[in-house]
Amino acid sequence: MATAGGPGEEDAFARYRSPLVSRYASPEMGFNFSERKKFGTWRRLWLYLAQAEKSLGLPITDEQIQEMEANLDNIDFKMAAEEEKKLRHDVMAHVHTFAHCCPKASGIIHLGATSCYVGDNTDLIVLRDGFNLLLPKLARVISRLADFAEKYANLPTLGFTHYQPAQLTTVGKRCCLWIQDLCMDLQNLERGRDDLRFRGVKGTTGTQASFLQLFEGNHEKVQELDRLVTAMAGFKRAYIVTGQTYSRKVDIEVLSVLASLGASIHKICTDIRLLANLKEIEEPFERDQIGSSAMPYKRNPMRSERCCSLARHLVTLVLNPLQTASVQWFERTLDDSANRRVCLAEAFLTADIILSTLQNISEGLVVYPKVIERRIRQELPFMATENIIMAMVKAGGNRQDCHEKIRVLSQQAAAVVKQEGGDNDLIARIRADPYFSPIQGHLESLLDPTSFTGRAPQQVARFLKEEVHPMLTPYQSKMGVKIELAL
């Protein structure tokens, strides 16, 4: 009995709820891994099996099929829970529950099948549907970032290697580095989905012996049964060889693809967090949003931080199927079951969350060109020294003498920056030195930031035209969805 202030039976807040569902994930991905989807799919698989068996000559009536069809979603979850508590077997609990509302069909439900007929085949359907939910979301992120890259294809910005100032690039070109990783992920997700096959109708150890007995040794009918049910479930192919389960290496392939996506998003959002610290780029920040309970001026990149936090979780989940596949004995052991209930669902839920969050970020990225320009001015004089030397040589100067002059002036300017906290005054020092009078009129053009970005703008245009936009074509009908984060 519930006590005052204690956990009541109806109090949803008195028990742990995974924040993946209660706080973050989309309703459609939450439903994909729900019990209603799972057990509703079990019933559909039992219907497919009965329909196929009937079509191949087993004594199953139209009335029995119609009774099953009428009760596909009429699931008494309370009765199923009571049955499972009594039987300690989830599949048989739902066989009995389905049979209770289909008394005429009760004798042919699950005919010839083993638990993995519904369990594994449902998992494969859910994984396929999960990919189909993720793919348009990933395509939308790529599309939003492609728009951003095109808009800022020509805006010079300081490049970083080792997080130290390096040659200039452009804001759009840097974004294309992010997009390229995500395009690889899009291809990997499509491949992961398309490589999935159905477990099909295989029996207890994968030999189809029970079905061969049902059809009195007719191998062709057993093979056709497998093909029919596979097609009804929406798959083009089934695994020819299985044990009791489909190979658990399939789960490795699926979660490896999602882990790779997690790595991409972690890198992108880390870059955004670093750029936010530099005040060059910020993620969206809402009018009433609070960055810190103690420091009211803070504008923390919390969306990018959330992506990084959850991406780390996603990356680690692939360890579960790796270990599970390695310890499966012979045709199967049940130590895979509880682990897979957790890691498969969490991988797709987490991928769903970070894609939705990244879409929200990419739809509202804010760029501060003046801040970017100021940082370029601080570093560009050092980068321009080689161009200045070449210009002096063309004007008749000696390369070695010029090099020494600039070395001395550069050290003086660096001292002002590092020891006095001043601005980089190298160009002012060059202007003041009579030695450089032959090129004084060309200094501005030698310091034009756009002359230091190489072919970055052209690379952006070609990349978007030749690689990105063609890849997004199949998803054009789903590009209009915008993301508003609940939290």
Side-chain angles (χ1 to χ4, degrees):
M1 180 179 292
T3 58
E9 187 175 330
E10 302 301 323
D11 188 354
F13 297 96
R15 57 168 53 191
Y16 174 77
R17 297 181 300 162
S18 169
L20 292 178
V21 174
S22 67
R23 189 172 176 86
Y24 299 128
S26 66
E28 59 269 21
M29 190 62 81
F31 175 75
N32 191 51
F33 287 93
S34 68
E35 291 194 346
R36 183 165 295 283
K37 166 77 176 274
K38 176 180 178 178
F39 298 127
T41 304
W42 283 13
R43 291 193 173 188
R44 283 162 175 78
L45 286 168
W46 283 320
L47 173 64
Y48 300 156
L49 181 62
Q51 289 173 325
E53 288 173 336
K54 177 180 182 296
S55 72
L56 291 169
L58 292 189
I60 296 172
T61 67
D62 290 338
E63 190 177 22
Q64 289 172 313
I65 296 295
Q66 291 164 6
E67 189 179 52
M68 294 173 73
E69 289 175 330
N71 287 280
L72 291 175
D73 296 309
N74 178 27
I75 303 173
D76 187 338
F77 288 99
K78 184 176 181 180
M79 177 183 178
E82 291 170 352
E83 287 288 325
E84 184 173 357
K85 186 175 182 179
K86 178 174 64 176
L87 302 173
R88 296 294 176 183
H89 198 288
D90 57 348
V91 173
M92 286 308 300
H94 277 271
V95 168
H96 289 183
T97 304
F98 195 19
H100 179 75
C101 56
C102 297
K104 295 174 183 176
S106 62
I108 55 96
I109 294 173
H110 200 64
L111 182 59
T114 188
S115 298
C116 284
Y117 167 69
V118 288
D120 271 35
N121 283 326
T122 293
D123 286 343
L124 290 162
I125 290 170
V126 167
L127 295 179
R128 178 198 64 195
D129 293 351
F131 276 129
N132 284 333
L133 290 173
L134 292 179
L135 279 163
K137 295 187 177 190
L138 176 52
R140 284 198 296 270
V141 170
I142 294 171
S143 176
R144 304 307 193 260
L145 290 175
D147 292 342
F148 180 86
E150 185 174 22
K151 181 177 180 180
Y152 294 103
N154 296 289
L155 180 61
T157 189
L158 189 64
F160 291 98
T161 58
H162 314 275
Y163 201 39
Q164 301 299 313
Q167 272 195 345
L168 299 191
T169 183
T170 69
V171 172
K173 170 61 190 298
R174 175 178 284 149
C175 182
C176 284
L177 300 179
W178 305 339
I179 295 171
Q180 181 165 252
D181 287 352
L182 294 176
C183 285
M184 294 171 65
D185 293 315
L186 187 72
Q187 291 175 317
N188 288 339
L189 261 68
E190 289 175 338
R191 176 183 52 78
R193 176 198 60 190
D194 296 343
D195 283 353
L196 285 175
R197 301 192 210 176
F198 204 51
R199 176 193 175 272
V201 181
K202 297 297 193 296
T204 55
T205 58
T207 65
Q208 299 176 303
S210 58
F211 297 103
L212 194 62
Q213 184 174 1
L214 275 176
F215 288 102
E216 299 177 342
N218 190 322
H219 290 267
E220 287 73 21
K221 284 192 174 183
V222 174
Q223 191 167 324
E224 179 63 6
L225 177 72
D226 203 1
R227 189 196 67 78
L228 286 172
V229 174
T230 297
M232 290 176 182
F235 284 81
K236 295 179 180 179
R237 297 181 300 164
Y239 296 106
I240 297 173
V241 173
T242 72
Q244 188 173 94
T245 69
Y246 67 80
S247 171
R248 295 308 182 220
K249 283 184 70 68
V250 173
D251 296 341
I252 297 174
E253 295 297 318
V254 170
L255 264 65
S256 292
V257 168
L258 300 183
S260 182
L261 172 65
S264 299
I265 293 179
H266 197 293
K267 183 265 191 294
I268 293 168
C269 291
T270 299
D271 283 357
I272 293 172
R273 292 165 65 192
L274 293 170
L275 291 168
N277 173 259
L278 297 176
K279 298 180 175 60
E280 293 189 3
I281 289 180
E282 285 184 343
E283 64 178 38
F285 196 90
E286 297 170 17
R287 185 173 64 87
D288 296 325
Q289 183 173 330
I290 295 174
S292 168
S293 61
M295 295 169 281
Y297 60 87
K298 294 285 294 278
R299 290 172 67 95
N300 298 330
M302 67 91 170
R303 292 170 173 82
S304 298
E305 291 174 310
R306 177 186 299 172
C307 283
C308 288
S309 180
L310 291 171
R312 288 199 303 275
H313 177 61
L314 178 55
V315 167
T316 64
L317 287 173
V318 72
L319 295 175
N320 285 281
L322 281 166
Q323 295 184 60
T324 295
S326 70
V327 298
Q328 287 297 285
W329 302 348
F330 304 112
E331 280 65 49
R332 99 66 69 94
T333 52
L334 196 59
D335 60 340
D336 63 338
S337 179
N339 184 291
R340 294 176 69 253
R341 289 175 192 262
V342 176
C343 70
L344 295 180
E346 288 198 352
F348 278 87
L349 289 165
T350 306
D352 175 73
I353 295 161
I354 60 178
L355 280 174
S356 295
T357 308
L358 183 55
Q359 180 182 335
N360 178 262
I361 293 169
S362 62
E363 288 174 346
L365 282 173
V366 181
V367 178
Y368 296 104
K370 293 297 183 183
V371 178
I372 294 172
E373 181 184 342
R374 184 178 187 278
R375 182 157 287 106
I376 289 174
R377 286 201 307 267
Q378 288 292 311
E379 300 294 341
L380 189 59
F382 293 138
M383 299 177 194
T385 53
E386 185 67 19
N387 287 6
I388 293 171
I389 291 173
M390 293 299 101
M392 281 294 296
V393 171
K394 288 179 181 179
N398 179 284
R399 192 263 178 200
Q400 313 316 328
D401 293 342
C402 185
H403 184 279
E404 179 59 19
K405 281 278 188 182
I406 289 182
R407 186 190 69 81
V408 172
L409 295 178
S410 296
Q411 295 297 329
Q412 294 170 352
V416 170
V417 173
K418 295 178 180 178
Q419 296 173 21
E420 301 175 18
D423 291 336
N424 188 334
D425 63 359
L426 175 59
I427 298 304
R429 292 174 184 274
I430 290 174
R431 289 187 193 281
D433 193 322
Y435 175 82
F436 294 98
S437 59
I439 63 165
Q440 291 292 348
H442 304 295
L443 277 176
E444 286 302 321
S445 62
L446 291 172
L447 292 168
D448 179 5
T450 60
S451 67
F452 290 85
T453 59
R455 298 192 65 254
Q458 291 75 22
Q459 289 177 345
V460 171
R462 183 184 175 195
F463 175 59
L464 296 180
K465 178 182 178 181
E466 296 184 12
E467 295 192 24
V468 178
H469 294 315
M471 192 176 294
L472 298 179
T473 300
Y475 303 97
Q476 286 304 317
S477 64
K478 299 182 179 179
M479 284 299 173
V481 180
K482 292 200 70 171
I483 294 296
E484 298 291 341
L485 297 183
L487 292 170

